[in-house]
Amino acid sequence: MGLGVPELVLESNGRTWTLDASRPYTLGRDPQGDIVLDDARVSWRHATVTWDGRGWVLEDHGSTNGTFVEGRRVNRAEIAAGSAVHLGNATDGPRVSARGAAAVAAPQAGQQPQARQQPYAAQGAGAGWGQQQAAPQQQPQQQPGGRIPAQQGPDGAAGAAPIHGDRSPTTFHQFSLGRVMRIGRALENELVVSDLQVSRHHAEFHATPDGRMQIRDLGSHNGTYVNGQPIAKGGTQVLGPTDVVGVGHSTFRIVEDRLEEFVDTGEVSFSARHLTVTVDGGKQILKDVSFGVPEKSLIAVIGPSGSGKSTLLKALTGYRPADQGDVLYDNRNLYKQFAELRQRIGLVPQDDILHKELSVKKALKYAAKLRFPADTTAAERNSRIDEVLRELKLDIHKEKRVSSLSGGQRKRVSVALELLTKPSLIFLDEPTSGLDPGMDRDVMQLLRGLADDGRTVLVVTHSVAELAICDKLLVMAPGGSVAYFGPPEEALNFFGYDTWADVFSAFENYRDYDWAGRWKGSQHYQMYAADIDAVASQPAQTSPMQGMKPPKPQGWTSQFVTLVRRYTSVLISDRGFLALMVILPGVLGAVSLLINPDKGLLPNLANAQTGRIVPNGTATTVLLILAVGACFAGAANSVRELIKERVIYERERATGLSRSAYLMSKVFVLGVITVLQGLLVGVIGFSGRELPEKGLVFGGSTLLELSLPIMALGFTAMMFGLIISALVKTAEKTMPLLVMFAIIQIVFTGCLFTLNSTVGVNQVSYLMPSRWAVAAAGATLDFNRISPPDAGESNDPLWEHTVGAWSLDMIALIVLGVICGFFVARFLRRHEPEVMRD
């Protein structure tokens, strides 16, 4: 220890550590750390103690349950002799006290005891209301092959009742009759839960005079759950002896006169049992898939095309539940308790789930705003973002645009987004697709690190180069059945080939071979999967997940405002779009000026000698060009917007995004842009020409009255563009449909031929926005006089020079836009997890 540096000794539960100023010391549950605190409330890497040149500093690493000094949660605190810190809980979390080195018979500077600290001991019985008592952490006993024995719930379904396997409670709290115990993130609650998924005042337990217990939701943002099902916001539910209450990452159970708390620290087991998916026609695309993995595991899923990997991933995440079988999240039925457990599952699709136009930190800020409760402060969200960026080594790239990052770095950003809410189970679909071997290795090592830090990670991949770092390997055979499950190093020997290329060739050449039967008849099956099948041997069909509406972390207005701000930021960052947004309407409006620039758009152009009306073809031609230009500009603005964000929408919808808020944010931003473009088109196209002195509705503002139909037409065309974007499967299909839409609008304007007297065609024209927009402008200009019908034909009633005709045309145009919005919402529904389709 250098001169002038005061020695510091940390003590906890009878053990001491003498600190050397030459290096930092990590505190946490990680056995490889410097100061090991084996308590479930302590994070894996909870905090660090360092000498900063002026004093000893303890810095929290964004731990789940927090670091407390004198009852206050802190991120950074100076410590010296006499200081005391609690980890995980402000009152009874593991206490770490500091003293000078001379005060104890300590080891020499730099020495660290090798013995691991014992779990935090429970305090004496009889604690008062609100006092917490820690229970020793017990890990489930694993059977050979890393399997955890399943348990049966009261309903007969495996894993329905047990909480966190067979673990003991993290803490327990003593009840007092007639009192109230409030749960929340704020320190004034009787039971403080340091979890950003929990509201500041989330829920409260009531002990009634007759001895029964109630749980009341206090208007929480992410909901309060009983047996995995959300109770009404602000509602109350009486609890039975077997009921389990879920709040954020914590689960509570009432046992006699005390409340037992189980904290989900991320170390969860996971299993699938007899998953079968049948599509129309009775074809099974997933056949009796069963496997189970213990906590802190990395599992790879490989297989040829058509082996059901994507279907399996959707079944495991609840996006498309299996028709038969169960998915167990730490012995809890995911399908039956999806509303609660969805917040603990992260999914990284093959495509990036971030807007590439934004910087890394800004993209994460918007995601955090949408996913965290509305009462979460900006400081809390920023702290969590910074923690995740440091964990994934992205802090040096946080100000860079996502599009400027390498493929591996972009995948890290997608993982970072999912880690914001601290999921215990993470799924990744083809994270190494398109990456070079070096990046492939980096991504797989990242996933290995995530598992080692206390998470269960399952990755679907085509790459076989880095399978050795996985704990288990699941090989899917053609047809959707399991061909192998077990250690990756034993897989090639099991198939009897030297390379994976040979294995996949065998799958292709022998597609009718019973690969599943070979697997179930093997010794490997008996070692690694037989007990999973045995427990769930009854093939009872799972009850379909109801179209539940889980509580949303943000209210509709808050989501709408956040989405509008994010979408605006994306558009502003796209300079090409901004330039096109201004240039396109300017060019379209200017083109109309080339047509007889000296002619006005007035009716009643009488021949001085004959007194007959001279048709003004300039008026109809100009209006035709302006209408088509507004249609094209409006539809072009929106035709790609939904398809390019489809993956982002699917993921955010699963985390609680409101469909209507998402759609309205698009309509609002694109609507403002399109309306302004329509105004520009109208002003350029109509200005400089002689117009009627008075309009039908706005009197002397004829230019405004003529521009309004063009603006409304652009808006409705934009809504048609959203329909196209919601329908197509790829962005490449949007352009042909856009061109077709614009051409159809030309035909049905009524400027090329008479629509009024054409039976059938006229009725179809009522579905076209260009028909109503041209009719509204035509009513102002009195088209029935400018372009009178041929002999024997009647005037077009939509062109009548009356306020009623103009109003009808405008109302019909707006109604078309509203109808389009309804269809867009219905089409968006197809791209959501089935349980979110309301």
Side-chain angles (χ1 to χ4, degrees), residues 408-472:
Q409 290 169 342
R410 286 200 304 272
K411 192 59 62 177
R412 282 177 178 266
V413 177
S414 294
V415 173
L417 186 151
E418 292 301 313
L419 292 185
L420 288 175
T421 54
K422 297 187 177 181
S424 304
L425 186 61
I426 302 177
F427 294 90
L428 299 100
D429 187 11
E430 300 286 356
T432 61
S433 177
L435 302 183
D436 61 50
M439 290 184 179
D440 182 348
R441 179 180 58 191
D442 291 343
V443 171
M444 292 301 292
Q445 288 178 344
L446 165 66
L447 303 184
R448 177 71 266 173
L450 294 178
D452 293 339
D453 283 344
R455 305 176 183 92
T456 301
V457 182
L458 186 145
V459 53
V460 175
T461 180
H462 277 110
S463 175
V464 297
E466 303 296 330
L467 296 180
I469 69 174
C470 299
D471 297 299
K472 292 291 187 295

Side-chain angles (χ1 to χ4, degrees), residues 324-340:
Q324 288 183 311
D326 294 309
V327 176
L328 303 184
Y329 173 101
D330 223 25
N331 285 328
R332 299 178 65 186
N333 192 304
L334 175 64
Y335 291 169
K336 295 180 180 179
Q337 304 185 32
F338 181 81
E340 177 185 355

Side-chain angles (χ1 to χ4, degrees), residues 525-824:
Y525 172 80
Q526 297 298 324
M527 294 175 60
Y528 303 118
D531 63 329
I532 298 294
D533 277 353
V535 171
S537 57
Q538 64 278 11
Q541 184 169 350
T542 60
S543 58
M545 290 195 294
Q546 300 174 350
M548 61 189 73
K549 295 183 179 180
K552 297 176 174 61
Q554 300 281 333
W556 190 94
T557 302
S558 178
Q559 286 192 5
F560 171 75
V561 172
T562 301
L563 290 167
V564 166
R565 292 178 58 191
R566 182 177 70 178
Y567 190 32
T568 303
S569 297
V570 170
L571 295 181
I572 292 175
S573 301
D574 190 347
R575 296 180 181 177
F577 177 84
L578 291 178
L580 186 62
M581 182 180 65
V582 176
I583 294 174
L584 181 61
V587 171
L588 293 174
V591 167
S592 67
L593 297 178
L594 302 177
I595 303 170
N596 297 328
D598 298 330
K599 280 195 175 184
L601 306 180
L602 293 173
N604 302 325
L605 297 179
N607 186 291
Q609 296 179 352
T610 64
R612 292 185 299 105
I613 297 296
V614 177
N616 186 357
T618 299
T620 55
T621 305
V622 168
L623 200 53
L624 172 65
I625 293 177
L626 295 181
V628 173
C631 277
F632 186 82
N637 286 339
S638 61
V639 76
R640 289 177 177 265
E641 291 307 305
L642 299 182
I643 181 62
K644 75 178 184 182
E645 290 187 1
R646 183 161 296 171
V647 176
I648 298 175
Y649 173 73
E650 289 176 355
R651 182 65 192 122
E652 290 183 341
R653 178 68 174 142
T655 60
L657 179 69
S658 166
R659 181 196 309 148
S660 59
Y662 175 79
L663 177 57
M664 287 305 299
S665 70
K666 295 292 185 185
V667 172
F668 178 80
V669 176
L670 292 174
V672 170
I673 293 173
T674 305
V675 167
L676 291 177
Q677 287 179 325
L679 178 61
L680 184 59
V681 169
V683 169
I684 294 175
F686 291 123
S687 62
R689 296 183 185 273
E690 188 177 3
L691 302 174
E693 293 183 0
K694 289 187 177 182
L696 289 170
V697 180
F698 293 94
S701 301
T702 309
L703 179 61
L704 175 61
E705 187 173 314
L706 288 172
S707 298
L708 279 175
I710 302 300
M711 296 160 65
L713 174 59
F715 179 85
T716 305
M718 180 270 295
M719 298 300 295
F720 270 91
L722 288 178
I723 288 182
I724 295 174
S725 191
L727 280 174
V728 297
K729 294 184 178 180
T730 61
E732 290 75 16
K733 295 180 180 179
T734 59
M735 295 312 296
L737 293 175
L738 173 62
V739 174
M740 182 179 69
F741 171 75
I743 292 176
I744 291 176
Q745 298 312 304
I746 296 175
V747 175
F748 288 99
T749 57
C751 296
L752 298 180
F753 60 92
T754 303
L755 292 173
N756 184 49
S757 59
T758 308
V759 179
V761 175
N762 187 43
Q763 285 68 35
V764 173
S765 73
Y766 293 157
L767 301 176
M768 305 300 164
S770 62
R771 168 71 158 127
W772 298 100
V774 170
T780 298
L781 296 174
D782 198 357
F783 264 18
N784 280 328
R785 301 189 68 188
I786 288 180
S787 182
D790 296 333
E793 295 180 350
S794 60
N795 290 338
D796 192 332
L798 302 184
W799 289 1
E800 290 295 334
H801 188 59
T802 64
V803 174
W806 188 91
S807 300
L808 174 64
D809 296 336
M810 292 297 294
I811 291 173
L813 193 55
I814 295 172
V815 169
L816 275 180
V818 173
I819 294 175
C820 288
F822 171 79
F823 281 107
V824 174

Side-chain angles (χ1 to χ4, degrees), residues 1-2 5-9 17-23 25 56 101-102 104-113:
M1 177 121 8
V5 178
E7 294 181 343
L8 190 72
V9 175
W17 295 267
T18 303
L19 275 56
D20 185 345
S22 63
R23 69 180 187 88
Y25 289 78
W56 290 97
V104 295
Q108 296 299 314
Q111 282 188 320
Q112 301 172 49

Side-chain angles (χ1 to χ4, degrees), residues 302 463-468 472-475 483-507 515 518-519 524 528:
I302 64 173
S463 175
V464 297
E466 303 296 330
L467 296 180
K472 292 291 187 295
L473 175 64
L474 176 67
V475 183
Y484 173 83
F485 176 75
E489 61 271 14
E490 300 177 17
L492 286 176
N493 183 59
F494 170 81
F495 287 107
Y497 292 99
D498 296 328
T499 66
W500 283 108
D502 295 331
V503 175
F504 278 52
S505 294
F507 282 149
W515 295 100
R518 179 177 183 271
W519 156 243
H524 284 78
Y528 303 118

